[in-house]
Structures are given as C-alpha cells and as structure tokens.
Amino acid sequence: MKHAYFTIAATAMTLVLTGQAGAADQVREQDRERIHVETQTQQQTQTQVRDQERIYGSQMMTEQERNEYRNQMRTLKTEQEREAFRKEHHEKMKVRAKAQGVALPDEPPAQGAGKGMGTGAGKGMGTGAGGGYGGGRK
C-alpha cells in the first residue's frame, strides 16, 4: 500500500513538473518568436535605411520599384552603364519629387557617398534633420 502511494505521488509530482516544464518551454518559444520578429523588423529597417542612402529618391519608390532598380543595377556590366542608369533614374525621381512636392538635391550624390572611415552609425556631424536624400516635404 505504501509502495502504491509513493508511486502515485511520484507520478503526480512528475506530471506537475512536466507541466511546469511544458509551460516554461512555451514561454521560451514565445520569447524566441518575439526575438525573431524584432530581429526581422530591425533588418527591414536597416534595409530601408540602406536603400535611402543608396537609391536616390527611394522614399518615393515602392518596394517593387526599389527591387527592380537593384536588379537592373546588377545586370549592368560597366560603370558607365550604371552611371547612365543612375542619371536617368535621377531625372525620373526629380519629376516625381516635383509632382509630390518633395525636395530632392538637384544633382545625384557622388558615387560612394556616405561611405568612409566612420562606424556607420548616425548621419555624421552637422547634417541635422533633413540630411541625406530627400529632405522631406516642403
């Protein structure tokens, strides 16, 4: 009889502990999912920032247009072809900016703008609000 009692008690204790372990596993899974979503969001934000730094007028483009721009740049073989494509794109974005009332620089940025010895964090000294491409609506 005592043996049966201990067996039942041990089984009950195992079930309780397993239930708690299962709950802990569920919490860990939720944490992993939350971290995954946060990481994905950060990566998307970084991609958008990179696009804005590299694609002139990207803030006025759809995701599909930015993808098409990148794909087109990858297919071009020479720097001259890429520069011609950038200039053509720049003119299109100037027209679009004017229609939308957005201020863009008159000249395309120098190739490699924004790249240098810095850590890559922030916009650098003295740029303040509106730095980079676009500058926002007027």
Side-chain angles (χ1 to χ4, degrees), residues 12-35:
M13 194 62 117
T14 301
L15 291 173
V16 168
L17 292 175
T18 304
Q20 288 176 348
D25 286 343
Q26 187 176 12
V27 168
R28 282 191 292 271
E29 183 61 32
Q30 289 171 346
D31 286 344
R32 278 193 289 272
E33 180 64 25
R34 181 184 49 79
I35 290 168

mmCIF file with all atom_site columns, all heavy atoms in Angstrom, residues 12-35:
data_model
loop_
_atom_site.group_PDB
_atom_site.id
_atom_site.type_symbol
_atom_site.label_atom_id
_atom_site.label_alt_id
_atom_site.label_comp_id
_atom_site.label_asym_id
_atom_site.label_entity_id
_atom_site.label_seq_id
_atom_site.pdbx_PDB_ins_code
_atom_site.Cartn_x
_atom_site.Cartn_y
_atom_site.Cartn_z
_atom_site.occupancy
_atom_site.B_iso_or_equiv
_atom_site.pdbx_formal_charge
_atom_site.auth_seq_id
_atom_site.auth_comp_id
_atom_site.auth_asym_id
_atom_site.auth_atom_id
_atom_site.pdbx_PDB_model_num
ATOM 1   N N   . ALA A 1 12 ? 2.391  11.801 -9.817  1.00 0.00 ? 12 ALA A N   1
ATOM 2   C CA  . ALA A 1 12 ? 1.755  13.119 -9.744  1.00 0.00 ? 12 ALA A CA  1
ATOM 3   C C   . ALA A 1 12 ? 2.798  14.222 -9.775  1.00 0.00 ? 12 ALA A C   1
ATOM 4   O O   . ALA A 1 12 ? 2.656  15.244 -10.472 1.00 0.00 ? 12 ALA A O   1
ATOM 5   C CB  . ALA A 1 12 ? 0.891  13.216 -8.489  1.00 0.00 ? 12 ALA A CB  1
ATOM 6   N N   . MET A 1 13 ? 3.879  14.038 -9.018  1.00 0.00 ? 13 MET A N   1
ATOM 7   C CA  . MET A 1 13 ? 4.950  15.025 -8.984  1.00 0.00 ? 13 MET A CA  1
ATOM 8   C C   . MET A 1 13 ? 5.590  15.177 -10.357 1.00 0.00 ? 13 MET A C   1
ATOM 9   O O   . MET A 1 13 ? 5.887  16.276 -10.804 1.00 0.00 ? 13 MET A O   1
ATOM 10  C CB  . MET A 1 13 ? 5.990  14.612 -7.943  1.00 0.00 ? 13 MET A CB  1
ATOM 11  C CG  . MET A 1 13 ? 6.939  15.716 -7.607  1.00 0.00 ? 13 MET A CG  1
ATOM 12  S SD  . MET A 1 13 ? 6.060  17.082 -6.885  1.00 0.00 ? 13 MET A SD  1
ATOM 13  C CE  . MET A 1 13 ? 6.799  17.082 -5.307  1.00 0.00 ? 13 MET A CE  1
ATOM 14  N N   . THR A 1 14 ? 5.789  14.068 -11.043 1.00 0.00 ? 14 THR A N   1
ATOM 15  C CA  . THR A 1 14 ? 6.360  14.101 -12.387 1.00 0.00 ? 14 THR A CA  1
ATOM 16  C C   . THR A 1 14 ? 5.449  14.871 -13.336 1.00 0.00 ? 14 THR A C   1
ATOM 17  O O   . THR A 1 14 ? 5.913  15.682 -14.132 1.00 0.00 ? 14 THR A O   1
ATOM 18  C CB  . THR A 1 14 ? 6.595  12.672 -12.909 1.00 0.00 ? 14 THR A CB  1
ATOM 19  O OG1 . THR A 1 14 ? 7.468  11.993 -12.017 1.00 0.00 ? 14 THR A OG1 1
ATOM 20  C CG2 . THR A 1 14 ? 7.193  12.683 -14.301 1.00 0.00 ? 14 THR A CG2 1
ATOM 21  N N   . LEU A 1 15 ? 4.147  14.620 -13.236 1.00 0.00 ? 15 LEU A N   1
ATOM 22  C CA  . LEU A 1 15 ? 3.194  15.331 -14.092 1.00 0.00 ? 15 LEU A CA  1
ATOM 23  C C   . LEU A 1 15 ? 3.215  16.827 -13.814 1.00 0.00 ? 15 LEU A C   1
ATOM 24  O O   . LEU A 1 15 ? 3.167  17.642 -14.731 1.00 0.00 ? 15 LEU A O   1
ATOM 25  C CB  . LEU A 1 15 ? 1.783  14.765 -13.910 1.00 0.00 ? 15 LEU A CB  1
ATOM 26  C CG  . LEU A 1 15 ? 1.560  13.351 -14.448 1.00 0.00 ? 15 LEU A CG  1
ATOM 27  C CD1 . LEU A 1 15 ? 0.173  12.845 -14.059 1.00 0.00 ? 15 LEU A CD1 1
ATOM 28  C CD2 . LEU A 1 15 ? 1.739  13.329 -15.955 1.00 0.00 ? 15 LEU A CD2 1
ATOM 29  N N   . VAL A 1 16 ? 3.270  17.190 -12.547 1.00 0.00 ? 16 VAL A N   1
ATOM 30  C CA  . VAL A 1 16 ? 3.318  18.613 -12.189 1.00 0.00 ? 16 VAL A CA  1
ATOM 31  C C   . VAL A 1 16 ? 4.582  19.245 -12.746 1.00 0.00 ? 16 VAL A C   1
ATOM 32  O O   . VAL A 1 16 ? 4.546  20.302 -13.374 1.00 0.00 ? 16 VAL A O   1
ATOM 33  C CB  . VAL A 1 16 ? 3.229  18.787 -10.650 1.00 0.00 ? 16 VAL A CB  1
ATOM 34  C CG1 . VAL A 1 16 ? 3.580  20.201 -10.236 1.00 0.00 ? 16 VAL A CG1 1
ATOM 35  C CG2 . VAL A 1 16 ? 1.840  18.414 -10.166 1.00 0.00 ? 16 VAL A CG2 1
ATOM 36  N N   . LEU A 1 17 ? 5.716  18.604 -12.517 1.00 0.00 ? 17 LEU A N   1
ATOM 37  C CA  . LEU A 1 17 ? 6.980  19.151 -13.010 1.00 0.00 ? 17 LEU A CA  1
ATOM 38  C C   . LEU A 1 17 ? 7.016  19.205 -14.530 1.00 0.00 ? 17 LEU A C   1
ATOM 39  O O   . LEU A 1 17 ? 7.494  20.161 -15.123 1.00 0.00 ? 17 LEU A O   1
ATOM 40  C CB  . LEU A 1 17 ? 8.153  18.328 -12.478 1.00 0.00 ? 17 LEU A CB  1
ATOM 41  C CG  . LEU A 1 17 ? 8.401  18.432 -10.970 1.00 0.00 ? 17 LEU A CG  1
ATOM 42  C CD1 . LEU A 1 17 ? 9.505  17.471 -10.543 1.00 0.00 ? 17 LEU A CD1 1
ATOM 43  C CD2 . LEU A 1 17 ? 8.752  19.859 -10.581 1.00 0.00 ? 17 LEU A CD2 1
ATOM 44  N N   . THR A 1 18 ? 6.498  18.171 -15.168 1.00 0.00 ? 18 THR A N   1
ATOM 45  C CA  . THR A 1 18 ? 6.451  18.157 -16.628 1.00 0.00 ? 18 THR A CA  1
ATOM 46  C C   . THR A 1 18 ? 5.542  19.266 -17.135 1.00 0.00 ? 18 THR A C   1
ATOM 47  O O   . THR A 1 18 ? 5.861  19.935 -18.114 1.00 0.00 ? 18 THR A O   1
ATOM 48  C CB  . THR A 1 18 ? 5.953  16.793 -17.140 1.00 0.00 ? 18 THR A CB  1
ATOM 49  O OG1 . THR A 1 18 ? 6.797  15.779 -16.604 1.00 0.00 ? 18 THR A OG1 1
ATOM 50  C CG2 . THR A 1 18 ? 5.965  16.732 -18.637 1.00 0.00 ? 18 THR A CG2 1
ATOM 51  N N   . GLY A 1 19 ? 4.439  19.474 -16.466 1.00 0.00 ? 19 GLY A N   1
ATOM 52  C CA  . GLY A 1 19 ? 3.540  20.566 -16.842 1.00 0.00 ? 19 GLY A CA  1
ATOM 53  C C   . GLY A 1 19 ? 4.229  21.906 -16.723 1.00 0.00 ? 19 GLY A C   1
ATOM 54  O O   . GLY A 1 19 ? 4.103  22.771 -17.575 1.00 0.00 ? 19 GLY A O   1
ATOM 55  N N   . GLN A 1 20 ? 4.995  22.085 -15.671 1.00 0.00 ? 20 GLN A N   1
ATOM 56  C CA  . GLN A 1 20 ? 5.724  23.340 -15.494 1.00 0.00 ? 20 GLN A CA  1
ATOM 57  C C   . GLN A 1 20 ? 6.817  23.462 -16.549 1.00 0.00 ? 20 GLN A C   1
ATOM 58  O O   . GLN A 1 20 ? 7.055  24.541 -17.082 1.00 0.00 ? 20 GLN A O   1
ATOM 59  C CB  . GLN A 1 20 ? 6.317  23.410 -14.087 1.00 0.00 ? 20 GLN A CB  1
ATOM 60  C CG  . GLN A 1 20 ? 5.268  23.623 -13.017 1.00 0.00 ? 20 GLN A CG  1
ATOM 61  C CD  . GLN A 1 20 ? 5.861  23.589 -11.611 1.00 0.00 ? 20 GLN A CD  1
ATOM 62  O OE1 . GLN A 1 20 ? 6.998  23.187 -11.415 1.00 0.00 ? 20 GLN A OE1 1
ATOM 63  N NE2 . GLN A 1 20 ? 5.058  24.003 -10.652 1.00 0.00 ? 20 GLN A NE2 1
ATOM 64  N N   . ALA A 1 21 ? 7.462  22.357 -16.834 1.00 0.00 ? 21 ALA A N   1
ATOM 65  C CA  . ALA A 1 21 ? 8.490  22.378 -17.869 1.00 0.00 ? 21 ALA A CA  1
ATOM 66  C C   . ALA A 1 21 ? 7.859  22.720 -19.217 1.00 0.00 ? 21 ALA A C   1
ATOM 67  O O   . ALA A 1 21 ? 8.404  23.479 -19.999 1.00 0.00 ? 21 ALA A O   1
ATOM 68  C CB  . ALA A 1 21 ? 9.213  21.040 -17.935 1.00 0.00 ? 21 ALA A CB  1
ATOM 69  N N   . GLY A 1 22 ? 6.679  22.153 -19.483 1.00 0.00 ? 22 GLY A N   1
ATOM 70  C CA  . GLY A 1 22 ? 5.971  22.461 -20.726 1.00 0.00 ? 22 GLY A CA  1
ATOM 71  C C   . GLY A 1 22 ? 5.606  23.932 -20.806 1.00 0.00 ? 22 GLY A C   1
ATOM 72  O O   . GLY A 1 22 ? 5.737  24.561 -21.851 1.00 0.00 ? 22 GLY A O   1
ATOM 73  N N   . ALA A 1 23 ? 5.164  24.493 -19.689 1.00 0.00 ? 23 ALA A N   1
ATOM 74  C CA  . ALA A 1 23 ? 4.837  25.925 -19.655 1.00 0.00 ? 23 ALA A CA  1
ATOM 75  C C   . ALA A 1 23 ? 6.097  26.751 -19.877 1.00 0.00 ? 23 ALA A C   1
ATOM 76  O O   . ALA A 1 23 ? 6.078  27.743 -20.606 1.00 0.00 ? 23 ALA A O   1
ATOM 77  C CB  . ALA A 1 23 ? 4.187  26.282 -18.327 1.00 0.00 ? 23 ALA A CB  1
ATOM 78  N N   . ALA A 1 24 ? 7.200  26.322 -19.265 1.00 0.00 ? 24 ALA A N   1
ATOM 79  C CA  . ALA A 1 24 ? 8.462  27.033 -19.452 1.00 0.00 ? 24 ALA A CA  1
ATOM 80  C C   . ALA A 1 24 ? 8.899  26.954 -20.919 1.00 0.00 ? 24 ALA A C   1
ATOM 81  O O   . ALA A 1 24 ? 9.379  27.941 -21.483 1.00 0.00 ? 24 ALA A O   1
ATOM 82  C CB  . ALA A 1 24 ? 9.538  26.463 -18.533 1.00 0.00 ? 24 ALA A CB  1
ATOM 83  N N   . ASP A 1 25 ? 8.720  25.781 -21.530 1.00 0.00 ? 25 ASP A N   1
ATOM 84  C CA  . ASP A 1 25 ? 9.055  25.635 -22.947 1.00 0.00 ? 25 ASP A CA  1
ATOM 85  C C   . ASP A 1 25 ? 8.207  26.564 -23.803 1.00 0.00 ? 25 ASP A C   1
ATOM 86  O O   . ASP A 1 25 ? 8.693  27.170 -24.754 1.00 0.00 ? 25 ASP A O   1
ATOM 87  C CB  . ASP A 1 25 ? 8.854  24.189 -23.414 1.00 0.00 ? 25 ASP A CB  1
ATOM 88  C CG  . ASP A 1 25 ? 9.937  23.254 -22.895 1.00 0.00 ? 25 ASP A CG  1
ATOM 89  O OD1 . ASP A 1 25 ? 10.994 23.754 -22.462 1.00 0.00 ? 25 ASP A OD1 1
ATOM 90  O OD2 . ASP A 1 25 ? 9.700  22.028 -22.921 1.00 0.00 ? 25 ASP A OD2 1
ATOM 91  N N   . GLN A 1 26 ? 6.936  26.674 -23.453 1.00 0.00 ? 26 GLN A N   1
ATOM 92  C CA  . GLN A 1 26 ? 6.032  27.545 -24.197 1.00 0.00 ? 26 GLN A CA  1
ATOM 93  C C   . GLN A 1 26 ? 6.476  29.003 -24.060 1.00 0.00 ? 26 GLN A C   1
ATOM 94  O O   . GLN A 1 26 ? 6.487  29.740 -25.042 1.00 0.00 ? 26 GLN A O   1
ATOM 95  C CB  . GLN A 1 26 ? 4.599  27.372 -23.706 1.00 0.00 ? 26 GLN A CB  1
ATOM 96  C CG  . GLN A 1 26 ? 3.585  28.113 -24.552 1.00 0.00 ? 26 GLN A CG  1
ATOM 97  C CD  . GLN A 1 26 ? 2.159  27.841 -24.090 1.00 0.00 ? 26 GLN A CD  1
ATOM 98  O OE1 . GLN A 1 26 ? 1.931  27.282 -23.024 1.00 0.00 ? 26 GLN A OE1 1
ATOM 99  N NE2 . GLN A 1 26 ? 1.203  28.244 -24.889 1.00 0.00 ? 26 GLN A NE2 1
ATOM 100 N N   . VAL A 1 27 ? 6.869  29.413 -22.863 1.00 0.00 ? 27 VAL A N   1
ATOM 101 C CA  . VAL A 1 27 ? 7.349  30.780 -22.650 1.00 0.00 ? 27 VAL A CA  1
ATOM 102 C C   . VAL A 1 27 ? 8.624  31.008 -23.457 1.00 0.00 ? 27 VAL A C   1
ATOM 103 O O   . VAL A 1 27 ? 8.777  32.038 -24.109 1.00 0.00 ? 27 VAL A O   1
ATOM 104 C CB  . VAL A 1 27 ? 7.573  31.061 -21.143 1.00 0.00 ? 27 VAL A CB  1
ATOM 105 C CG1 . VAL A 1 27 ? 8.334  32.351 -20.934 1.00 0.00 ? 27 VAL A CG1 1
ATOM 106 C CG2 . VAL A 1 27 ? 6.248  31.094 -20.412 1.00 0.00 ? 27 VAL A CG2 1
ATOM 107 N N   . ARG A 1 28 ? 9.535  30.034 -23.427 1.00 0.00 ? 28 ARG A N   1
ATOM 108 C CA  . ARG A 1 28 ? 10.776 30.165 -24.204 1.00 0.00 ? 28 ARG A CA  1
ATOM 109 C C   . ARG A 1 28 ? 10.473 30.275 -25.694 1.00 0.00 ? 28 ARG A C   1
ATOM 110 O O   . ARG A 1 28 ? 11.100 31.054 -26.401 1.00 0.00 ? 28 ARG A O   1
ATOM 111 C CB  . ARG A 1 28 ? 11.713 28.990 -23.919 1.00 0.00 ? 28 ARG A CB  1
ATOM 112 C CG  . ARG A 1 28 ? 12.455 29.127 -22.593 1.00 0.00 ? 28 ARG A CG  1
ATOM 113 C CD  . ARG A 1 28 ? 13.573 28.096 -22.478 1.00 0.00 ? 28 ARG A CD  1
ATOM 114 N NE  . ARG A 1 28 ? 13.094 26.736 -22.358 1.00 0.00 ? 28 ARG A NE  1
ATOM 115 C CZ  . ARG A 1 28 ? 12.811 26.136 -21.198 1.00 0.00 ? 28 ARG A CZ  1
ATOM 116 N NH1 . ARG A 1 28 ? 12.960 26.778 -20.059 1.00 0.00 ? 28 ARG A NH1 1
ATOM 117 N NH2 . ARG A 1 28 ? 12.381 24.886 -21.179 1.00 0.00 ? 28 ARG A NH2 1
ATOM 118 N N   . GLU A 1 29 ? 9.528  29.504 -26.172 1.00 0.00 ? 29 GLU A N   1
ATOM 119 C CA  . GLU A 1 29 ? 9.143  29.569 -27.591 1.00 0.00 ? 29 GLU A CA  1
ATOM 120 C C   . GLU A 1 29 ? 8.567  30.938 -27.930 1.00 0.00 ? 29 GLU A C   1
ATOM 121 O O   . GLU A 1 29 ? 8.870  31.510 -28.974 1.00 0.00 ? 29 GLU A O   1
ATOM 122 C CB  . GLU A 1 29 ? 8.145  28.455 -27.924 1.00 0.00 ? 29 GLU A CB  1
ATOM 123 C CG  . GLU A 1 29 ? 7.751  28.418 -29.392 1.00 0.00 ? 29 GLU A CG  1
ATOM 124 C CD  . GLU A 1 29 ? 8.920  28.178 -30.328 1.00 0.00 ? 29 GLU A CD  1
ATOM 125 O OE1 . GLU A 1 29 ? 9.875  27.478 -29.960 1.00 0.00 ? 29 GLU A OE1 1
ATOM 126 O OE2 . GLU A 1 29 ? 8.879  28.725 -31.455 1.00 0.00 ? 29 GLU A OE2 1
ATOM 127 N N   . GLN A 1 30 ? 7.738  31.474 -27.039 1.00 0.00 ? 30 GLN A N   1
ATOM 128 C CA  . GLN A 1 30 ? 7.186  32.813 -27.258 1.00 0.00 ? 30 GLN A CA  1
ATOM 129 C C   . GLN A 1 30 ? 8.296  33.856 -27.281 1.00 0.00 ? 30 GLN A C   1
ATOM 130 O O   . GLN A 1 30 ? 8.277  34.776 -28.102 1.00 0.00 ? 30 GLN A O   1
ATOM 131 C CB  . GLN A 1 30 ? 6.155  33.149 -26.182 1.00 0.00 ? 30 GLN A CB  1
ATOM 132 C CG  . GLN A 1 30 ? 4.873  32.368 -26.299 1.00 0.00 ? 30 GLN A CG  1
ATOM 133 C CD  . GLN A 1 30 ? 3.952  32.546 -25.098 1.00 0.00 ? 30 GLN A CD  1
ATOM 134 O OE1 . GLN A 1 30 ? 4.356  33.050 -24.058 1.00 0.00 ? 30 GLN A OE1 1
ATOM 135 N NE2 . GLN A 1 30 ? 2.704  32.120 -25.251 1.00 0.00 ? 30 GLN A NE2 1
ATOM 136 N N   . ASP A 1 31 ? 9.277  33.710 -26.378 1.00 0.00 ? 31 ASP A N   1
ATOM 137 C CA  . ASP A 1 31 ? 10.418 34.628 -26.367 1.00 0.00 ? 31 ASP A CA  1
ATOM 138 C C   . ASP A 1 31 ? 11.203 34.525 -27.670 1.00 0.00 ? 31 ASP A C   1
ATOM 139 O O   . ASP A 1 31 ? 11.602 35.533 -28.241 1.00 0.00 ? 31 ASP A O   1
ATOM 140 C CB  . ASP A 1 31 ? 11.340 34.342 -25.177 1.00 0.00 ? 31 ASP A CB  1
ATOM 141 C CG  . ASP A 1 31 ? 10.760 34.815 -23.850 1.00 0.00 ? 31 ASP A CG  1
ATOM 142 O OD1 . ASP A 1 31 ? 9.810  35.628 -23.872 1.00 0.00 ? 31 ASP A OD1 1
ATOM 143 O OD2 . ASP A 1 31 ? 11.267 34.370 -22.802 1.00 0.00 ? 31 ASP A OD2 1
ATOM 144 N N   . ARG A 1 32 ? 11.422 33.282 -28.136 1.00 0.00 ? 32 ARG A N   1
ATOM 145 C CA  . ARG A 1 32 ? 12.151 33.099 -29.395 1.00 0.00 ? 32 ARG A CA  1
ATOM 146 C C   . ARG A 1 32 ? 11.395 33.754 -30.554 1.00 0.00 ? 32 ARG A C   1
ATOM 147 O O   . ARG A 1 32 ? 11.999 34.394 -31.408 1.00 0.00 ? 32 ARG A O   1
ATOM 148 C CB  . ARG A 1 32 ? 12.368 31.610 -29.674 1.00 0.00 ? 32 ARG A CB  1
ATOM 149 C CG  . ARG A 1 32 ? 13.551 31.011 -28.929 1.00 0.00 ? 32 ARG A CG  1
ATOM 150 C CD  . ARG A 1 32 ? 13.910 29.629 -29.480 1.00 0.00 ? 32 ARG A CD  1
ATOM 151 N NE  . ARG A 1 32 ? 12.922 28.621 -29.143 1.00 0.00 ? 32 ARG A NE  1
ATOM 152 C CZ  . ARG A 1 32 ? 12.930 27.900 -28.031 1.00 0.00 ? 32 ARG A CZ  1
ATOM 153 N NH1 . ARG A 1 32 ? 13.889 28.055 -27.159 1.00 0.00 ? 32 ARG A NH1 1
ATOM 154 N NH2 . ARG A 1 32 ? 11.996 27.006 -27.798 1.00 0.00 ? 32 ARG A NH2 1
ATOM 155 N N   . GLU A 1 33 ? 10.091 33.591 -30.574 1.00 0.00 ? 33 GLU A N   1
ATOM 156 C CA  . GLU A 1 33 ? 9.276  34.180 -31.642 1.00 0.00 ? 33 GLU A CA  1
ATOM 157 C C   . GLU A 1 33 ? 9.341  35.709 -31.583 1.00 0.00 ? 33 GLU A C   1
ATOM 158 O O   . GLU A 1 33 ? 9.493  36.369 -32.605 1.00 0.00 ? 33 GLU A O   1
ATOM 159 C CB  . GLU A 1 33 ? 7.824  33.702 -31.538 1.00 0.00 ? 33 GLU A CB  1
ATOM 160 C CG  . GLU A 1 33 ? 6.911  34.272 -32.598 1.00 0.00 ? 33 GLU A CG  1
ATOM 161 C CD  . GLU A 1 33 ? 7.282  33.851 -34.011 1.00 0.00 ? 33 GLU A CD  1
ATOM 162 O OE1 . GLU A 1 33 ? 7.910  32.793 -34.187 1.00 0.00 ? 33 GLU A OE1 1
ATOM 163 O OE2 . GLU A 1 33 ? 6.956  34.604 -34.942 1.00 0.00 ? 33 GLU A OE2 1
ATOM 164 N N   . ARG A 1 34 ? 9.240  36.253 -30.378 1.00 0.00 ? 34 ARG A N   1
ATOM 165 C CA  . ARG A 1 34 ? 9.313  37.712 -30.215 1.00 0.00 ? 34 ARG A CA  1
ATOM 166 C C   . ARG A 1 34 ? 10.671 38.233 -30.680 1.00 0.00 ? 34 ARG A C   1
ATOM 167 O O   . ARG A 1 34 ? 10.754 39.215 -31.421 1.00 0.00 ? 34 ARG A O   1
ATOM 168 C CB  . ARG A 1 34 ? 9.077  38.101 -28.756 1.00 0.00 ? 34 ARG A CB  1
ATOM 169 C CG  . ARG A 1 34 ? 9.115  39.604 -28.490 1.00 0.00 ? 34 ARG A CG  1
ATOM 170 C CD  . ARG A 1 34 ? 8.968  39.940 -27.010 1.00 0.00 ? 34 ARG A CD  1
ATOM 171 N NE  . ARG A 1 34 ? 9.836  39.188 -26.131 1.00 0.00 ? 34 ARG A NE  1
ATOM 172 C CZ  . ARG A 1 34 ? 11.136 39.452 -25.932 1.00 0.00 ? 34 ARG A CZ  1
ATOM 173 N NH1 . ARG A 1 34 ? 11.707 40.449 -26.568 1.00 0.00 ? 34 ARG A NH1 1
ATOM 174 N NH2 . ARG A 1 34 ? 11.849 38.724 -25.096 1.00 0.00 ? 34 ARG A NH2 1
ATOM 175 N N   . ILE A 1 35 ? 11.738 37.554 -30.293 1.00 0.00 ? 35 ILE A N   1
ATOM 176 C CA  . ILE A 1 35 ? 13.079 37.961 -30.701 1.00 0.00 ? 35 ILE A CA  1
ATOM 177 C C   . ILE A 1 35 ? 13.230 37.861 -32.214 1.00 0.00 ? 35 ILE A C   1
ATOM 178 O O   . ILE A 1 35 ? 13.806 38.743 -32.862 1.00 0.00 ? 35 ILE A O   1
ATOM 179 C CB  . ILE A 1 35 ? 14.144 37.122 -29.971 1.00 0.00 ? 35 ILE A CB  1
ATOM 180 C CG1 . ILE A 1 35 ? 14.159 37.501 -28.485 1.00 0.00 ? 35 ILE A CG1 1
ATOM 181 C CG2 . ILE A 1 35 ? 15.519 37.301 -30.597 1.00 0.00 ? 35 ILE A CG2 1
ATOM 182 C CD1 . ILE A 1 35 ? 14.945 36.554 -27.601 1.00 0.00 ? 35 ILE A CD1 1
#
